[in-house]
Amino acid sequence: MAAPIRTLANAIRALAMDAVEAANSGHPGMPMGMADAATVLWTEYLKHDPADPKWPDRDRFVLSAGHGSMLIYALLHLTGYAHPTIDEIRHFRQLGSPCAGHPENFLLDGVEATTGPLGQGLAMAVGMAIAERHLNAAFGDELVDHRTWVIAGDGCLMEGVNHEAAGLAGHLGLGRLNVLWDDNRITIDGATDLSTSEDIEARYRAYGWHVVRCDGLDADDVRRALDEAVADERPSLIACRTVIGFGAPNKQGTAATHGAALGADEVAAARAELGWDYPPFEIPAGLLSTWHALGARGQEAHGAWNARLAASDLAAEFSRRMAGDLPEGFSLDDYIAGLIANPQKLATRKASEAALGAINALLPETIGGSADLTGSNNTKTKGQNPLTKEDYSGRYIYYGIREFGMGAAMNGMALHGGVIPYGGTFLVFADYARPAIRLSALQQARVIYVMTHDSIGLGEDGPTHQPVEHLMSLRAMPNLDVYRPADVVETAECWELALRKTDGPSLLALTRQNLPQVRTEASENLSARGAYRLRAAAAHRRVVLLATGSEVEVALATAEVLEGQGIGADVVSMPCWSLFDAQDPVWRAGLIPGDALIVSIEAGATLGWERYTGRKGLNIGLDRFGASAPAGDLFKRFGFTAGAIVPQIIAALETQGDQ
Amino acid sequence: MAAPIRTLANAIRALAMDAVEAANSGHPGMPMGMADAATVLWTEYLKHDPADPKWPDRDRFVLSAGHGSMLIYALLHLTGYAHPTIDEIRHFRQLGSPCAGHPENFLLDGVEATTGPLGQGLAMAVGMAIAERHLNAAFGDELVDHRTWVIAGDGCLMEGVNHEAAGLAGHLGLGRLNVLWDDNRITIDGATDLSTSEDIEARYRAYGWHVVRCDGLDADDVRRALDEAVADERPSLIACRTVIGFGAPNKQGTAATHGAALGADEVAAARAELGWDYPPFEIPAGLLSTWHALGARGQEAHGAWNARLAASDLAAEFSRRMAGDLPEGFSLDDYIAGLIANPQKLATRKASEAALGAINALLPETIGGSADLTGSNNTKTKGQNPLTKEDYSGRYIYYGIREFGMGAAMNGMALHGGVIPYGGTFLVFADYARPAIRLSALQQARVIYVMTHDSIGLGEDGPTHQPVEHLMSLRAMPNLDVYRPADVVETAECWELALRKTDGPSLLALTRQNLPQVRTEASENLSARGAYRLRAAAAHRRVVLLATGSEVEVALATAEVLEGQGIGADVVSMPCWSLFDAQDPVWRAGLIPGDALIVSIEAGATLGWERYTGRKGLNIGLDRFGASAPAGDLFKRFGFTAGAIVPQIIAALETQGDQ
């Protein structure tokens, strides 16, 4: 059965209405407004194969306006993906259904990115489009030749990150990126003119984008616009004028359809309006088979691609990269052996640069970058050429002053697959990128954040640039491994662990200032368990000093003074709390025993250290903003010296003795 | 002595070079490039009086490109502010000098905002311009009639927040906002064309701004552009083409001048180039007195304003508001008495709306708003009209989907003075606004963040919308009071505390779901000490349950079950950790004793709770991302029920008994 776009699209509208009605929760307005445009896109333009959702050369589709999740659930179901089933759609927004409130990439194949936090879908799509061009440069049109499609709403285009993302996409000339803007003139609070007056099309042109406008409810006009977008060399913004909640006769065009069930009466009225005579969740068999047939139209291209891959000399390498496997035998052991042989006093940001030198030579899949702090973050290694509009084979991106855009682009690259992105800024500006870091963690994306200048040790730039609460606030985030290495060796160990973590992000907090090498003997990767005893007490152990990064040096000096007074003190370096917390409790208790005074030393917020030091421990930290002065002065001023710490330990030992 | 602009400006250049040279740290390039334009602005346009830096009707000047801090230090010194002295400038970036690496409003009068985190100065200036127009609507041209000036760099215009801020300013038609863009085509990594290709002028026009371009090194041309900007009704972007590090003959125009000392040789060469024959830190007396005279040109206007204020019927109210004092006798006691009299089961977001009803009636200085979640955040009260381009007297701002822009605008409003801003979004999107929240805290700005949907209790929207680590990550931030009230009464108490905190921000975390009223007896403000015993153990106390917000209800239910088994349990509600931590240790130990099992119950990350529960306590929390389902199902699924918690407590008591 052939069917006009409107009829096909009404299946989406019905599923969206019905699922939201059943859940009594959700967003029917966007799917109903964009159903026609999305149907044209998915049945005539999008290159995909529902039978193999992971086909590497598929087009990527990102629903940046993630609240309209029923749109993609309906599209996946109708075009023949194994999931969601109609029963899963019936259980929209219920425990156990993959049809979550917002689309989650780890629940459903075909959902390329987790969206909902506005603007980020679009920004991740920029990363996907970068990865596509980069891999195309390495593997050619035969293996990599696809587009990235986005549906974005007004919210996506108001969020600041869209500015960063669109600016980057324009600069890099990502012509295979096409963004359909659901221009329905409605936000949650009401008409868009309550809060904005801008000319979005002019703005996107200013970024170097191609812009075209169409009637999003007229299939022919949508085709015209998509054809124009595909033909244009620039990234395209396709403004689709739509009506939110189209088909709901009394509520369409109003904010009432945005984020709530329409109600039984309005759903009935919409069924009448749309001429949709079927019960809830029922798609007529003929229409469903038409949809399935349209979903299968990518099979031929997929088959041809399979043949090209089979014939390619690059097949093994391509498949390895897309699988996210590191090359066989990859290891930093030799590099670390060299460090042990030639101890150095080095800032960990420079230790990171050195480690990256080894890594980038061994792993062709890394793509580095920095948000305009290349020389400070030490993220660029020798021979790493910039990735530019003229040469996508480059492996270094000048992200500009766009921390959030960088994070989101890296998420998109990691989700696309075939590359391992890492990018730098100052640790204090992790705040700017934080929404992207959270999505890295939630989406289980292998993104590596290189965050330097990780404490008051950055010195003169002062409190606006000195992280205080950042380490702890990042450690609190699920599925993010926060590393704070103490020297060159730990830095290399942490890098290797970060690269080997395939199901989530890592963040390296690195110093501006030089640190002595504290690891001078060959060993296994001691950072792998998150913490280890760096120095064992000589005298009877009464104190265990816990420290990270630059304060390990302070802890060692403190231990030395204590030992000189006959007080035994272990020093435990704790480069990664999440790895430590995952260890066996008995092993952990051996490292941090109950019968000693536990002291934490870290130039940051103390909140959280009590997990290890307990209520009777001692926390040496910084629970205020820093100040502008040379690093050495600040460490003294804020008490990060053995001279300041030892008396506090002795006083605490005496108090404990009293109890 | 009359002096041409270039000669006046060279005093700025010399001070910038010399101070950075002395510190061997800092950013000479921006002050040297913008010295002429800044001199024109400060000596001919800016309305200010160095003798009274807090004159309410002064123009506001914000150095958004805060790394160029020596520009403003030089301007303040040269125009005759009491600080910085030349000695303080000599100690640029040293401990104790108010001339910090980046300008800090709490260290120097005349520094209107703390800047350095890029883009935020411009975004705060938008808030200042809003406050000016709003107060003008209330107090007339006689008392409020000033402009807001900004110097922004390329970095400011790349950061996403500039998009949000400029869009809002264009929408609100803030014609008294004028932004000088230091268009020097250089960022830290090199030429701007490494990372951007956009047409910034076209983009600002798309926001509804007036745009004018000038040669920033030609005083006449700068005057022409500033005149045009002043005359135009729209906010203005003044693109000043400059040369970074102008005057340093071998380094100007390159990134080498951006963030490092020029070096003795280049400083000497620059002195020759600029014809500046004076020793470091020496300004010839004649030139200094010219500068001082130019600084004093605002005195007449100031005197006339003083006379108008003295004659005004509105003087007392105006002065009260600008001082930031609440009206005499302000209190929510009556409102709270009403709550006690009529207990209600209410979501705390709705309790907040009710409290705001009372507050907005009592305090004409509040300006509310939401980032497009008005109906969800419950931030708008009856009779609160929108603040619009047509009517600046309105007290509610539709911020649009601009969380970060909203936070920064609120900072600007609070710093301007005369208003108390509050604004809402979902707690999970605190991440989007986080850089602004940090600046609220650092700048000691009275901004109140209304963050609703504060846990998995928001239900179906799922993990992208469910805060997990947010409470703890915000509690770790210095000078931010995070409140999580448990019912209507605590919500009102927390609101009153937030309003009374004049030297920093507060954040209210509020539920989507209904909560029973747990406070049913008249009392003092029990939230003021951060925590209090809500329920005392009946049986011998073996357990103390600590909880916040929606989990107080769970703690009460848990206590009841425990008591039924003969196990005495206190319940402590902890609406604000920072207030609790500031109490007397003995009092705190009375509330959280050492001889009981301490149990925390909070639907968020457990990290941090060990501060109170210790290493042997029990932490009921959520150390993973949430899921999409109705709230009740999620509370069960993740174990926030008495039925799930009691067995864990009994097991922990048994273990403790073993020790």
Side-chain angles (χ1 to χ4, degrees), chain A residues 388-625:
Chain A
T388 66
K389 185 177 173 177
E390 290 74 30
D391 181 5
Y392 292 113
S393 76
R395 289 175 56 195
Y396 193 81
I397 299 180
Y398 289 106
Y399 284 104
I401 299 118
R402 303 180 178 109
E403 299 82 6
F404 189 3
M406 173 176 74
M410 292 200 294
N411 280 335
M413 287 186 236
L415 293 170
H416 180 282
V419 297
I420 300 176
Y422 70 85
T425 185
F426 288 159
L427 179 59
V428 79
F429 299 133
D431 283 354
Y432 275 68
R434 193 171 172 98
I437 299 173
R438 189 172 206 258
L439 271 191
S440 307
L442 179 56
Q443 294 180 115
Q444 305 170 7
R446 177 165 50 183
V447 171
I448 303 173
Y449 294 91
V450 182
M451 300 291 194
T452 70
H453 296 60
D454 70 348
S455 76
I456 50 168
L458 76 81
E460 293 90 343
D461 272 347
T464 53
H465 284 55
Q466 291 164 352
V468 170
E469 70 280 18
H470 297 76
L471 284 169
M472 211 57 77
S473 72
L474 290 161
R475 286 175 182 140
M477 193 180 285
N479 198 32
L480 172 67
D481 287 335
V482 176
Y483 292 96
R484 191 165 188 249
D487 74 351
V488 280
V489 175
E490 277 193 14
T491 302
E493 289 178 343
C494 294
W495 257 113
E496 182 158 349
L497 293 165
L499 290 163
R500 290 193 188 284
K501 177 172 178 171
T502 55
D503 61 349
S506 303
L507 185 147
L508 283 80
L510 304 170
T511 66
R512 176 190 185 207
Q513 71 276 24
N514 283 338
L515 302 181
Q517 183 166 331
V518 297
R519 290 275 299 285
T520 49
E521 289 176 32
S523 68
E524 59 183 315
N525 185 327
L526 296 176
S527 301
R529 300 180 88 172
Y532 62 93
R533 188 175 294 119
L534 177 62
R535 175 203 191 280
H540 170 65
R541 182 178 69 190
R542 296 182 62 198
V543 175
V544 174
L545 302 167
L546 311 178
T548 72
S550 47
E551 285 71 70
V552 169
E553 177 183 8
V554 179
L556 288 168
T558 301
E560 197 166 328
V561 176
L562 290 171
E563 297 276 358
Q565 303 184 24
I567 300 167
D570 282 0
V571 173
V572 172
S573 178
M574 297 192 73
C576 183
W577 290 23
S578 49
L579 293 182
F580 177 68
D581 289 348
Q583 303 302 312
D584 173 71
V586 174
W587 184 80
R588 282 188 279 138
L591 207 58
I592 308 181
D595 62 355
L597 174 70
I598 313 296
V599 180
S600 67
I601 311 178
E602 185 173 75
T606 58
L607 181 66
W609 271 108
E610 295 93 347
R611 170 164 291 183
Y612 309 118
T613 60
R615 291 180 70 189
K616 293 180 181 168
L618 183 62
N619 300 112
I620 308 295
L622 188 69
D623 289 315
R624 50 155 288 174
F625 292 108

Side-chain angles (χ1 to χ4, degrees), chain A residues 93 102 118 159-160 164 171 187 189 197 199 206 372 374 402-403 432 438 461 469 592 610-611 615, chain B residues 93 102 118 159-160 164 171 187 189 197 199 206 372 374 403 432 438 461 469 592 610-611 615:
Chain A
R93 291 182 159 237
H102 291 80
L118 294 176
E159 290 288 0
E164 301 183 14
H171 179 66
T187 72
D189 276 356
S197 311
D199 179 345
D372 198 45
T374 295
R402 303 180 178 109
E403 299 82 6
Y432 275 68
R438 189 172 206 258
D461 272 347
E469 70 280 18
I592 308 181
E610 295 93 347
R611 170 164 291 183
R615 291 180 70 189
Chain B
R93 292 182 158 237
H102 292 79
L118 293 177
E159 290 288 0
E164 301 182 15
H171 178 66
T187 71
D189 275 356
S197 310
D199 179 344
D372 198 45
T374 295
E403 298 81 7
Y432 275 69
R438 189 171 206 258
D461 272 347
E469 70 280 17
I592 309 181
E610 295 92 347
R611 170 164 291 184
R615 292 180 71 189

Side-chain angles (χ1 to χ4, degrees), chain B residues 175-243:
Chain B
R176 282 155 172 272
L177 174 65
N178 295 313
V179 177
L180 288 80
W181 162 33
D182 178 18
D183 177 23
N184 63 24
R185 294 176 289 186
I186 292 291
T187 71
I188 292 174
D189 275 356
T192 47
D193 62 11
L194 271 179
S195 59
T196 184
S197 310
E198 69 160 308
D199 179 344
I200 290 175
E201 294 167 60
R203 177 163 67 87
Y204 268 72
R205 281 193 199 97
Y207 294 130
W209 285 49
H210 161 250
V211 177
V212 56
R213 173 164 282 286
C214 69
D215 178 348
L217 293 163
D218 175 338
D220 286 337
D221 206 38
V222 171
R223 284 185 195 102
R224 176 192 56 77
L226 294 182
D227 287 342
E228 203 181 286
V230 166
D232 199 281
E233 286 183 349
R234 296 163 293 177
S236 289
L237 180 71
I238 302 137
C240 305
R241 173 56 51 88
T242 65
V243 175

